Amino acid sequence: MFIFVLQTIWLYISELAGKDLDVWVVLKFLWYVSPRLIPLVLPLTILVTSLMVFGNFSEKYEFAAMKSTGISLQRAMRSLTIFILILAGTAFLFANNVIPYSEYKWQNLRRNIAQVSPSMVIAEGQFSQIGDDFNIKVAEKSGDRDQYLKNIVIHKKNPSRPNGNYTVIIADNGELASAKGSNTLSLILNEGYYFDEVQTKDPEKQQKEPFVKSYFEQYVINIDLTEFNDTDVDKENDVSNHNMYKMSELFVEIDSLSIGYTNDIKTFADNMYYRSGLSKFKDPKVQDVEGTDTIGQVLEVYQVPIQLNILNMALNNVRGTIQSINSKKIEFQIKTKQLNKHEIALHEKYVLAIACIILFFVGAPLGAIIRKGGMGLPMVVAVLLFLTYHFIGIFAKNSAEDGTMHPFIASWISTAIMLPLGVWLTYRATTDQGIFDIDSFLHRFRKSPAAEVEVVYENLNKEIAITKEEEESLEGLTVAQLKDAVKNSKQYGYTSDFRIAALRKLAEHGFTQEHLHVSGDLYNKDLIEAEKLVSRFRKLSVYTFICFALYLVIPIVTTAMETKDETITVILSVIGLINIVLFYVFLFKTHNTVNNLSRITKDQTINSAVILVGFPLYIFLYFYYKRHIQRSLKNIR
């Protein structure tokens, strides 16, 4: 909080410095601005402290001591989890009640402070309002008190005509002067022009009236500072923005803004329709007129000079319509931004509470994993995680304000990204695993060793049932043929009893199961490995087919929705792109599985070029793979 308060002081130092404010006023300014920092400070605080505390526990082997007495990590986190849930509920109430009130008091105090010293309000390069009558813009200020001004533009308001800036004063340079203790500020302008537009009550005559222009070498404007010098910093002003509303007020405000926005669009559309003249074709008199086939165009009815006048009038109407649409477009963008800000402010009250819980479950297990406490590594890791969380939220909210992203998605996207991270870290911590196991990761890219077959020796003394034909066939087999029958019993379709009978015959010739296992004649390792690959092929085929089905469904859903919402379109496009990538990943793994099976069976491998036809012809490719597998399995001996 101290760091963020310091940052606030530097951010608003121009509004506080040089105005002879009491220390109490400055402290009140910081007091009112502090609650609006809680949504930044509280999640970062929970992340840092959970990392430090659990990292300290793990570093000093206190978790090992807990586990040795039967206390799991979940049980060790239970009391803190309850505390975090209570803290999250308190944060929600704080965001809904305290922050809106403090925001109102802070904005109100800012406006009052700005009126304490109007000479300090005049900023370079922008219009600054002094009182209710003057808007002043200067290009440069100089002097020990910034009293010398250059390139001055003043818009002077007339109380009798408050709705427009009809008086403009432009001067090359000027000076602000005031006697000590005086309530009058003199603005001395040198070498300038005075423009005053003549106003009439008749709008038609107004277009013909000129404006008054006069040149002056020196012109003095006296501004009464009595109201400014008597400024009350505690005065209540009529200020309002989206951060000053509670949830109940935001619901009402969002509804009113939505209804007003919808009505404005409908009214503008109706005006454009009536302005086009199309509504006149609904007139019964126009509908009753019978058309003739001899006229190709409407303009042919009129003479050439009148045709030119009609075309010029049509062009002017089109230009006016385009100009009106462009101006309304800007107005609607402002209203959209205002509505989106209110929706973001509503969701942020929920996000603060949920973020506290999620970031706790990110920091606590991460501290237990890295086993480092204190202010060193945990602080660095926490700041990096929080900056990632914060910047994603900032970028998303900026996109939501102009309508590029839906306000709901923008408000929750950073929290949604942290949620699976918290679940994953909690799982890794509770199962005593590190953040990243390099050995297991590299093992995926190494050449897999030969399949290890689990040796299960048959009980040769148990009772078996075989037919006389099978018994006679065993009598005529040589030792090599008996070994082949035992090794490839599945391929030949022999029963387990027939296999045991063959093992007994081999035992009579001095070949035990141990001898057969050492010589590789007890089991067919190639067949076992092939069965594993077939099982893997079936799983990968299911995943690939799901991606292929989604590829077909997504365009249909997009067309059926007929939505013009850019956010939904972008989301569906991203889902489609991810789906294509996953499809080819699964298809590539499926292809490699089939070729690995072909290498085991000494069969011809399939060319990788067939992957290119995966999307449009996947169904045919699947049956081609399946037929190839069936042919390969028959070759295993």
Side-chain angles (χ1 to χ4, degrees):
M1 176 64 83
F2 178 72
I3 294 173
F4 279 97
V5 168
L6 285 181
Q7 188 264 349
T8 302
I9 293 175
W10 287 113
L11 188 63
Y12 297 104
I13 190 68
S14 60
E15 298 183 15
L16 302 175
K19 296 196 174 184
D20 195 22
L21 298 174
D22 293 337
V23 176
W24 174 249
V25 176
V26 177
L27 293 177
K28 184 184 293 186
F29 182 89
L30 297 178
W31 174 255
Y32 287 147
V33 81
S34 295
R36 72 194 307 263
L37 302 176
I38 293 298
L40 286 175
V41 174
L42 188 59
L44 177 59
T45 303
I46 292 175
L47 183 61
V48 171
T49 51
S50 58
L51 257 169
M52 292 172 61
V53 170
F54 281 80
N56 198 30
F57 279 164
S58 185
E59 184 180 13
K60 296 180 179 180
Y61 298 99
E62 295 191 34
F63 279 132
M66 293 180 186
K67 291 177 182 177
S68 65
T69 58
I71 300 176
S72 62
L73 180 63
Q74 296 94 326
R75 185 178 173 187
M77 294 173 58
R78 187 178 301 167
S79 58
L80 278 178
T81 303
I82 296 173
F83 171 75
I84 289 297
L85 292 175
I86 297 174
L87 182 61
T90 306
F92 173 75
L93 296 175
F94 187 88
N96 188 45
N97 297 280
V98 179
I99 293 180
Y101 176 78
S102 67
E103 183 75 16
Y104 168 74
K105 300 295 288 185
W106 176 64
Q107 294 286 2
N108 186 75
L109 185 60
R110 282 186 66 191
R111 175 172 293 188
N112 294 334
I113 290 176
Q115 297 177 356
V116 170
S117 182
S119 60
M120 297 295 296
V121 175
I122 301 176
E124 295 180 353
Q126 66 184 40
F127 279 98
S128 304
Q129 183 172 351
I130 298 182
D132 297 328
D133 299 332
F134 296 96
N135 279 323
I136 301 177
K137 177 183 177 182
V138 300
E140 183 181 348
K141 297 195 298 182
S142 59
D144 56 348
R145 294 179 288 109
D146 290 336
Q147 70 271 29
Y148 300 112
L149 314 175
K150 288 186 178 181
N151 296 333
I152 306 168
V153 179
I154 300 176
H155 289 172
K156 182 180 179 182
K157 295 183 179 180
N158 192 334
S160 61
R161 297 175 296 175
N163 295 328
N165 294 323
Y166 301 114
T167 302
V168 179
I169 304 173
I170 300 176
D172 182 67
N173 58 83
E175 179 184 359
L176 289 170
S178 179
K180 186 176 181 179
S182 174
N183 286 332
T184 302
L185 176 68
S186 298
L187 177 57
I188 305 172
L189 305 176
N190 301 317
E191 298 180 2
Y193 291 90
Y194 187 99
F195 302 92
D196 191 8
E197 186 176 352
V198 178
Q199 295 293 306
T200 61
K201 296 182 179 180
D202 191 352
E204 296 181 357
K205 293 182 179 180
Q206 177 64 44
Q207 298 179 358
K208 302 178 181 179
E209 292 292 339
F211 60 85
V212 177
K213 175 183 177 181
S214 61
Y215 172 78
F216 58 83
E217 293 184 357
Q218 188 177 80
Y219 183 75
V220 180
I221 299 177
N222 294 318
I223 303 174
D224 187 9
L225 299 181
T226 304
E227 182 179 353
F228 296 105
N229 292 334
D230 295 336
T231 300
D232 182 10
V233 293
D234 294 325
K235 183 179 68 174
E236 298 289 335
N237 298 297
D238 186 15
V239 291
S240 175
N241 65 26
H242 54 281
N243 292 323
M244 299 180 185
Y245 295 116
K246 299 180 180 179
M247 282 181 53
S248 57
E249 297 169 342
L250 279 171
F251 282 122
V252 175
E253 192 69 16
I254 290 173
D255 287 341
S256 62
L257 289 174
S258 300
I259 294 173
Y261 184 39
T262 304
N263 292 336
D264 289 343
I265 294 177
K266 184 178 180 181
T267 302
F268 178 69
D270 293 339
N271 291 337
M272 289 294 100
Y273 176 73
Y274 291 123
R275 184 174 181 175
S276 65
L278 295 175
S279 59
K280 295 182 180 179
F281 288 99
K282 294 184 178 181
D283 191 341
K285 296 180 181 179
V286 177
Q287 295 177 355
D288 293 340
V289 175
E290 296 183 358
T292 59
D293 298 334
T294 58
I295 299 176
Q297 296 180 357
V298 178
L299 291 175
E300 295 179 1
V301 179
Y302 302 96
Q303 298 179 357
V304 174
I306 300 178
Q307 291 180 11
L308 294 175
N309 292 334
I310 293 174
L311 290 175
N312 289 329
M313 186 182 300
L315 287 173
N316 291 332
N317 288 336
V318 171
R319 293 191 187 101
T321 301
I322 293 175
Q323 185 177 1
S324 178
I325 290 174
N326 290 333
S327 61
K328 274 293 182 179
K329 182 179 179 181
I330 297 174
E331 180 182 342
F332 288 153
Q333 287 176 348
I334 295 174
K335 291 184 177 180
T336 301
K337 188 174 183 179
Q338 185 181 13
L339 179 59
N340 290 337
K341 284 184 175 180
H342 282 76
E343 292 190 13
I344 291 173
L346 175 63
H347 291 295
E348 281 182 340
K349 300 182 186 304
Y350 298 101
V351 170
L352 177 60
I354 302 300
C356 293
I357 300 173
I358 292 178
L359 291 181
F360 169 74
F361 282 100
V362 171
L366 185 58
I369 292 174
I370 63 177
R371 297 182 179 180
K372 196 69 176 177
M375 292 290 293
L377 181 62
M379 179 64 75
V380 175
V381 174
V383 170
L384 289 177
L385 284 173
F386 179 76
L387 288 179
T388 304
Y389 166 81
H390 181 60
F391 285 149
I392 292 174
I394 290 295
F395 294 147
K397 289 170 187 175
N398 289 340
S399 300
E401 287 182 1
D402 57 6
T404 305
M405 184 180 293
H406 195 278
F408 175 81
I409 298 176
S411 301
W412 288 95
I413 186 170
S414 56
T415 308
I417 291 174
M418 285 295 171
L419 176 60
L421 178 62
V423 174
W424 181 72
L425 287 174
T426 304
Y427 169 76
R428 302 286 291 189
T430 53
T431 54
D432 292 328
Q433 301 182 53
I435 298 178
F436 191 73
D437 191 351
I438 298 179
D439 292 335
S440 62
F441 178 76
L442 295 178
H443 181 71
R444 299 173 181 269
F445 299 95
R446 295 171 185 161
K447 185 177 180 180
S448 58
E452 295 293 335
V453 179
E454 183 181 359
V455 180
V456 179
Y457 295 133
E458 300 286 354
N459 183 9
L460 301 182
N461 296 322
K462 72 176 184 179
E463 296 183 0
I464 59 174
I466 59 175
T467 63
K468 290 184 178 181
E469 290 79 3
E470 291 176 338
E471 186 175 356
E472 292 175 355
S473 64
L474 283 173
E475 294 293 338
L477 295 179
T478 64
V479 173
Q481 291 174 336
L482 287 172
K483 289 182 179 180
D484 183 55
V486 171
K487 181 178 180 180
N488 299 307
S489 60
K490 288 185 178 179
Q491 293 293 87
Y492 294 128
Y494 296 152
T495 63
S496 60
D497 289 346
F498 183 86
R499 185 171 184 271
I500 293 174
L503 287 171
R504 288 177 180 176
K505 287 289 183 182
L506 287 172
E508 293 176 359
H509 291 85
F511 293 97
T512 64
Q513 296 187 63
E514 290 82 358
H515 292 145
L516 294 174
H517 172 62
V518 173
S519 63
D521 294 324
L522 185 62
Y523 292 102
N524 192 332
K525 294 182 179 181
D526 290 341
L527 178 61
I528 295 174
E529 181 65 18
E531 290 176 345
K532 292 181 179 180
L533 291 174
V534 171
S535 176
R536 177 179 172 82
F537 167 78
R538 290 170 180 168
K539 291 180 181 180
L540 290 172
S541 297
V542 172
Y543 300 150
T544 311
F545 180 77
I546 292 174
C547 293
F548 179 74
L550 288 176
Y551 167 75
L552 300 177
V553 169
I554 289 176
I556 299 175
V557 172
T558 305
T559 306
M561 292 176 64
E562 296 183 352
T563 178
K564 296 183 179 179
D565 191 344
E566 294 182 359
T567 303
I568 297 178
T569 304
V570 170
I571 292 174
L572 291 175
S573 301
V574 172
I575 293 175
L577 181 61
I578 295 174
N579 180 65
I580 292 174
V581 174
L582 291 176
F583 173 83
Y584 275 106
V585 168
F586 291 133
L587 183 59
F588 180 76
K589 289 186 175 182
T590 304
H591 183 81
N592 283 345
T593 302
V594 176
N595 279 342
N596 289 336
L597 178 61
S598 300
R599 295 186 187 98
I600 292 175
T601 60
K602 306 298 187 294
D603 197 0
Q604 184 180 1
T605 58
I606 301 175
N607 195 324
S608 299
V610 300
I611 297 178
L612 300 177
V613 298
F615 249 134
L617 303 175
Y618 172 69
I619 300 298
F620 301 99
L621 187 60
Y622 167 75
F623 287 107
Y624 175 72
Y625 282 149
K626 191 173 182 180
R627 183 178 179 183
H628 183 81
I629 289 174
Q630 292 173 351
R631 186 180 69 248
S632 298
L633 289 175
K634 294 179 181 179
N635 297 331
I636 298 178
R637 288 290 186 274

